[in-house]
Amino acid sequence: MHFPLALQRLSPAAARLCLNVEHFLLRDLHIRHGARFVLAVSGGADSSALAVILHILLPRCNFAISAVTVNHKLRPTAAQEAAQAAALCARLGIVCVLREADVAAFAARERIGTEEAGRKLRYAFFEEERKALHADFIALGHHSKDLTEDVLLRLVRGAGWPALGGMKARDDARHLLRPLLQEQPDAFRALLRECDITWQEDESNASLCYKRNRLRHTVLPLLRRENPSLDKATASLWQLARHDSDFWEEHLKSALAAQPWQADEDSLTLPVELLRALHPAARLRLYHKSIGYTQCRSHARAKTLLALDKAWSEGRGNTRFQLPGGIEARISRGAVRFCLRKKPVSE
């Protein structure tokens, strides 16, 4: 197919995929025409399809698009994959910045796994580029099967509702956008083949060293055998969680307007009068909101928040709970105070 790619030259299935993404962006996620995106491209099918779809939508939506690809230096083919991602962007007329990261050295220095180290460095590069270009969002290629994996990972980690609904499609706090979250990855490969675009398969996706891959290759095939519509069911769960979250956000906004919390630089206190006026379900969501206010991106385990609310309900004073991200929750005189600890303690 000739470049630039055009919607009217696509097959009906490929055109429908692009229009579905457009509808999701404009109608569901309320992205404005002319929004500026930094694309995270890797050379894989998902991010390549994202670049192609947004390129095709340019005349309709007037998006401003640039890209970043990161060479993690973890595999012999890493440089080739980064070069292929940059070459695709060049064909699409998208400026692409190539960054390199010594993930193994960073992982050893921080004493974390290579998967977590790669994610931290990668997202830091994306955010640097977004700020430099004054872009609105970092666009990621996560799709419906990634969403199912994410829900299962959260369940395994002990997440509660509504976090159990999975990753956000639009995360304003982190400037992240997932335009493909409701789409099936098989459609991406069909689109790329139709446009005569090749992609690289990430060899690390086959490794069972990582929890996500173990779930992907061992657990999820069994679940999909029991329910072939598992990904559609997960998408429905995601939609319910989104509506639920919106409802409780409005409810808590009204409650906080009547009885505000008390916040300073490194702590936030929920007064007893506020907590007494709330249903336990609302208190649990208020605890989640409070943790987010302290700039913690980790998800507190449902078990911990339930124990915190039980202690508060029973009137236990001088009680402390350790939460992810270096946060401590303290109960004193009926109030609950969330504060940052000087040294993070494991939950």
Side-chain angles (χ1 to χ4, degrees):
M1 183 172 287
H2 297 294
F3 286 78
L5 303 173
L7 190 66
Q8 60 269 26
R9 297 193 192 127
L10 298 177
S11 67
R16 187 163 52 250
L17 169 64
C18 295
L19 292 175
N20 285 346
V21 173
E22 178 187 19
H23 186 280
F24 187 56
L25 284 169
L26 301 181
R27 302 286 182 84
D28 293 347
L29 303 184
H30 307 292
I31 301 301
R32 61 179 174 80
H33 283 260
R36 301 177 63 86
F37 302 143
V38 170
L39 307 188
V41 293
S42 65
D46 306 334
S47 65
S48 296
L50 176 61
V52 169
I53 291 169
L54 291 180
H55 165 81
I56 290 171
L57 293 177
L58 277 177
R60 298 170 59 88
C61 303
N62 197 32
F63 295 139
I65 304 172
S66 61
V68 177
T69 188
V70 181
N71 177 358
H72 294 78
K73 298 184 177 181
L74 289 175
R75 302 185 307 277
T77 58
Q80 177 185 345
E81 292 165 5
Q84 181 163 336
L88 172 61
C89 289
R91 289 178 72 187
L92 296 173
I94 299 172
V95 175
C96 182
V97 174
L98 174 61
R99 302 292 295 266
E100 293 185 348
D102 192 338
V103 173
F106 180 74
R109 187 166 62 251
E110 298 295 318
R111 298 182 179 180
I112 57 178
T114 55
E115 187 177 32
E116 182 182 356
R119 183 171 56 252
K120 284 187 173 183
L121 289 173
R122 189 165 61 247
Y123 278 68
F125 289 151
F126 298 157
E127 178 62 10
E128 285 177 11
E129 189 66 14
R130 186 197 68 81
K131 287 181 176 178
L133 297 177
H134 304 287
D136 301 298
F137 291 100
I138 300 159
L140 305 169
H142 295 122
H143 49 69
S144 62
K145 288 191 175 182
D146 291 323
L147 177 60
T148 301
E149 292 173 9
D150 187 56
V151 168
L152 188 57
L153 279 168
R154 290 172 186 240
L155 179 63
V156 169
R157 292 168 183 159
W161 188 255
L164 194 57
M167 66 182 80
K168 294 181 179 180
R170 173 174 173 165
D171 186 341
D172 288 330
R174 301 172 64 192
H175 307 285
L176 301 180
L177 192 69
R178 298 180 172 96
L180 308 181
L181 197 59
Q182 298 288 284
E183 304 300 327
Q184 291 287 328
D186 289 345
F188 307 157
R189 287 162 174 75
L191 171 67
L192 294 175
R193 284 191 290 268
E194 183 174 327
C195 297
D196 194 26
I197 292 173
T198 59
W199 65 89
Q200 294 278 348
E201 296 291 351
D202 188 340
E203 299 169 3
S204 66
N205 286 336
S207 172
L208 297 183
C209 295
Y210 305 117
K211 183 187 294 184
R212 181 180 293 274
N213 287 351
R214 290 196 296 273
L215 294 176
R216 176 183 299 167
H217 297 300
T218 60
V219 178
L220 280 169
L222 296 176
L223 295 178
R224 291 191 175 104
R225 194 176 307 161
E226 295 295 330
N227 179 9
S229 298
L230 179 65
D231 298 314
K232 292 182 179 178
T234 305
S236 297
L237 177 69
W238 178 85
Q239 290 177 325
L240 290 171
R242 184 172 165 226
H243 291 316
D244 184 273
S245 182
D246 289 344
F247 170 82
W248 284 109
E249 185 65 26
E250 289 300 316
H251 181 77
L252 293 179
K253 186 184 297 183
S254 299
L256 288 167
Q259 181 61 62
W261 60 25
Q262 299 152 16
D264 56 33
E265 186 176 344
D266 58 1
S267 70
L268 183 149
T269 301
L270 307 177
V272 61
E273 295 81 8
L274 170 62
L275 296 172
R276 282 175 180 166
L278 297 177
H279 185 278
R283 289 199 300 269
L284 289 168
R285 283 157 178 80
L286 183 59
Y287 301 151
H288 268 292
K289 187 177 181 69
S290 302
I291 293 169
Y293 180 87
T294 56
Q295 299 181 352
C296 173
R297 294 177 180 173
S298 302
H299 294 286
R301 293 176 182 170
K303 179 181 178 181
T304 305
L305 296 185
L306 287 167
L308 169 62
D309 195 62
K310 185 173 187 291
W312 179 86
S313 300
E314 293 174 351
R316 283 189 266 155
N318 299 320
T319 306
R320 302 185 179 192
F321 292 84
Q322 311 300 334
L323 300 170
I327 295 175
E328 183 178 76
R330 304 174 186 173
I331 302 175
S332 179
R333 298 181 181 180
V336 176
R337 183 169 182 255
F338 295 88
C339 56
L340 292 171
R341 300 188 303 274
K342 292 183 179 179
K343 293 184 179 180
V345 178
S346 299
E347 185 183 7

